[in-house]
Amino acid sequence: MTACIFCKIVSNELHAKIVYRDEQVTAFRDIHPLAPVHILIIPNRHILSVNELTPEDEPLIGHLFTVARQLVKQEGIDKSGYRLIVNTGAHGGQTVFHLHLHLIGGQRMRHPMG
Ligand code: 5GP
Ligand code: ZN
């Protein structure tokens, strides 16, 4: 049993609008989208944050970006542009402690970063 909501999405215990899945990663639509396209791409394995990554995770992290690349094409926002964001810890605004890559696009981003 896990208390992690993203692990529950990976194991189908919790419903999500899944847009991509393979043996390493799952991608699903954010429940509170900040833009017309807001997808979370996560490793299927529970990793708390960037702080817990090791050199062995490099292929996995590369794969998250490859999946992001496929999804931006699929969503039709590759030309218009988008943001890929990984919030980490309190100052980063992380609220779910299972590593996730936000893919946000479909409109011009209104706020500067930081
Ligand atoms: P963070 O703030 O940790 O970078 O991002 C967590 C994201 O997860 C937020 O954008 C939030 O809306 C999303 N989220 C939280 N709970 C759920 C859920 O149960 N389902 C889905 N699809 N997204 C969630
Ligand atoms: Zn988890």
Side-chain angles (χ1 to χ4, degrees):
M1 284 288 282
T2 173
C4 171
I5 52 170
F6 286 1
C7 281
K8 284 184 174 164
I9 288 173
V10 170
S11 65
N12 293 318
E13 285 172 74
L14 197 66
H15 174 77
K17 291 180 184 164
I18 292 177
V19 292
Y20 179 84
R21 193 203 277 283
D22 66 25
E23 63 287 342
Q24 287 190 83
V25 311
T26 300
F28 51 93
R29 298 201 188 272
D30 196 292
I31 203 163
H32 296 125
L34 300 174
V37 176
H38 189 169
I39 293 170
L40 302 172
I41 308 163
I42 71 170
N44 292 341
R45 178 163 57 88
H46 184 80
I47 301 173
L48 263 83
S49 77
V50 170
N51 286 342
E52 279 69 38
L53 289 174
T54 68
E56 286 71 42
D57 296 319
E58 282 178 17
L60 173 64
I61 298 311
H63 190 55
L64 288 178
F65 276 80
T66 299
V67 170
R69 175 76 190 93
Q70 288 170 25
L71 289 171
V72 297
K73 207 113 207 257
Q74 211 168 291
E75 298 286 322
I77 58 169
D78 51 331
K79 300 288 190 300
S80 53
Y82 50 88
R83 277 189 185 158
L84 292 169
I85 301 167
V86 181
N87 296 325
T88 304
H91 284 188
Q94 186 177 8
T95 59
V96 177
F97 290 88
H98 181 133
L99 182 71
H100 49 281
L101 182 61
H102 291 261
L103 163 58
I104 305 175
Q107 69 184 25
R108 185 175 290 275
M109 298 297 128
R110 285 168 298 215
H111 301 292
M113 295 205 289

